[in-house]
Amino acid sequence: MNLDQLEQVNVPLLSSERRSAYSPRMESSTSPTYRILWIWIAFAWSCIAIAWGPAAALAASPDPSFRAFASAIVLCFATFLPWALTTPTLFAVCRRYPLGEGNNARSIAALLLIGIGLVPSLAGFLPLIEGLGAVALPAVFGEPQAPSEALRRVLVTSLFALPTYVAVIAIGQTLVWANRARNQEVRSARAELRALRAELSPHFLMNALGSIAQMAHVSAERAEAALLALADVLRSGLSAEEEMHTLADELGAVDEHVTLYRELHGKLVYRREVGDGLWQQQVPTRILVPLIENALTHGAPLPDGTRQIELTVTDIFGALQIHISNPILRDSRASRGLGTGLDQVRQRLAILYGDKGCLTAAPNGDQFAVILEVPHG
């Protein structure tokens, strides 16, 4: 929508009650944990069975028939079935006894003891099924094996299965480390985001307190109103713990800054246009506040001393586009503080969205335009 089509009236500010009606705050997000789906476990073990089956048939006969190949593959599937069923449990064991966290001796001892009990149990699964089948259906499974022969078979199979157990444990420990690294990356990103958000406040706060101190010598009532408006700004800023909230919450934070500016400086025309159905879209918490502060601090007043800001929110090809503009002098140069605020916003966008979020800022005639684009979330 063209800015010229905006209504030339001031937009009423959202009260805290109205903002909560627009958008309840997000629940706290949980840290990411890896989840191995059953389908991937079944796929991995199926690939192993399909690969081992032909090898077993060729090892048994130099010229196996198709039936021998099929029988060997079925036998491998039956052999690896208990391993596939036990794999999630083994991954849970790896999470319970991780390596590299200072308790290696304890973890290794626990994994060895579990392996000593588990490997023979898994290796004896198929001989047990065959033994029960031989007792129930000797015509199909043949005569039952002698106990000593069955025990020898379980022992040999267990020795061959030890590398399989070690491989599953190694994969489980690798997943534990990958999950730990991912959690550390998330914590680091959140810490960096908190630091970036904290950098946006001191300059604004000192200016506001200085203005209120000067105002107190002129009008105690105006100074009190400005202090109350500043308290609202600080209260909402300190209580904003989540990294994301709704557009309605974000525009409410902008409204609080606009109210504070009006209490401090008086003349401000703030026009806002929000597209239908966009109030509940998720945006980074207080991402617009530094952009509004820049517009108020570095924008040029109109001839009568009035500041002017226009803000529009539209949906552009599946992305939320927020356009902020304010008048500037044609020969004005961007100050260093303006660049710092824009760079901090860009850093937050890069952490949250990668290359899917962007911020552009450039003068356009007698207006300075900032366009923020974030994907729908």
Side-chain angles (χ1 to χ4, degrees), residues 195-230:
L196 287 171
R197 285 169 53 184
E199 290 177 7
L200 303 176
S201 301
H203 179 73
F204 163 78
L205 180 60
M206 288 186 293
N207 286 344
L209 290 175
S211 298
I212 293 173
Q214 294 179 359
M215 188 183 298
H217 296 286
V218 178
S219 173
E221 293 182 357
R222 286 186 59 196
E224 181 181 2
L227 277 174
L228 292 176
L230 178 60

Side-chain angles (χ1 to χ4, degrees), residues 32-344:
T33 57
Y34 68 85
R35 294 181 176 87
I36 306 301
L37 299 178
W38 273 104
I39 188 172
W40 292 112
I41 295 175
F43 175 77
W45 283 109
S46 297
C47 291
I48 295 174
I50 292 173
W52 280 32
L58 290 171
S61 172
D63 188 21
S65 63
F66 176 78
R67 181 177 180 180
F69 274 115
S71 299
I73 292 175
V74 171
L75 181 63
C76 286
F77 268 99
T79 301
F80 291 125
L81 176 61
W83 284 98
L85 296 175
T86 312
T87 296
T89 302
L90 291 178
F91 287 167
V93 169
C94 292
R95 294 195 295 271
R96 179 67 178 83
Y97 299 103
L99 298 175
E101 290 190 347
N103 294 320
N104 288 340
R106 173 175 172 268
S107 296
I108 292 174
L111 294 173
L112 286 176
L113 290 175
I114 293 172
I116 291 173
L118 183 64
V119 171
S121 301
L122 298 178
F125 174 77
L126 186 58
L128 177 63
I129 296 299
E130 291 179 347
L132 295 176
V135 173
L137 299 170
V140 177
F141 290 91
E143 294 297 326
Q145 288 183 325
S148 58
E149 183 65 23
L151 183 61
R152 177 180 175 276
R153 180 183 174 187
V154 170
L155 178 61
V156 172
T157 307
S158 298
L159 293 176
F160 277 104
L162 281 177
T164 304
Y165 175 75
V166 173
V168 174
I169 293 298
I171 294 173
Q173 293 291 337
T174 301
L175 292 174
V176 169
W177 275 93
N179 184 61
R180 188 183 306 165
R182 184 161 53 248
N183 286 338
Q184 181 61 39
E185 183 180 355
V186 170
R187 286 193 293 269
S188 298
R190 288 177 176 174
E192 186 174 355
L193 286 168
R194 286 194 295 269
L196 287 171
R197 285 169 53 184
E199 290 177 7
L200 303 176
S201 301
H203 179 73
F204 163 78
L205 180 60
M206 288 186 293
N207 286 344
L209 290 175
S211 298
I212 293 173
Q214 294 179 359
M215 188 183 298
H217 296 286
V218 178
S219 173
E221 293 182 357
R222 286 186 59 196
E224 181 181 2
L227 277 174
L228 292 176
L230 178 60
D232 290 337
V233 170
L234 296 178
R235 185 182 302 109
S236 64
L238 294 174
S239 63
E241 298 180 356
E242 299 297 334
E243 193 53 47
M244 303 290 291
H245 64 180
T246 62
L247 177 64
D249 279 328
E250 184 65 15
L251 293 179
V254 169
D255 289 345
E256 291 171 346
H257 279 71
V258 169
T259 298
L260 177 59
Y261 187 90
R262 283 176 175 157
E263 295 293 344
L264 294 175
H265 305 288
K267 297 180 179 181
L268 172 63
V269 176
Y270 170 46
R271 303 188 182 99
R272 182 182 65 209
E273 179 81 5
V274 180
D276 294 337
L278 300 181
W279 290 94
Q280 296 298 319
Q281 291 296 325
Q282 296 291 317
V283 296
T285 300
R286 303 182 73 80
I287 195 72
L288 298 181
V289 169
L291 303 180
I292 296 297
E293 290 177 1
N294 280 337
L296 294 174
T297 303
H298 304 287
L302 299 176
D304 63 352
T306 301
R307 300 276 180 173
Q308 181 177 322
I309 297 178
E310 295 180 336
L311 184 150
T312 60
V313 185
T314 54
D315 185 352
I316 304 295
F317 302 114
L320 200 65
Q321 185 180 89
I322 303 173
H323 188 287
I324 301 173
S325 64
N326 59 272
I328 58 172
L329 299 177
R330 288 185 176 273
D331 297 331
S332 64
R333 295 181 180 180
S335 68
R336 186 173 302 176
L338 173 63
T340 301
L342 296 177
D343 287 342
Q344 290 168 336

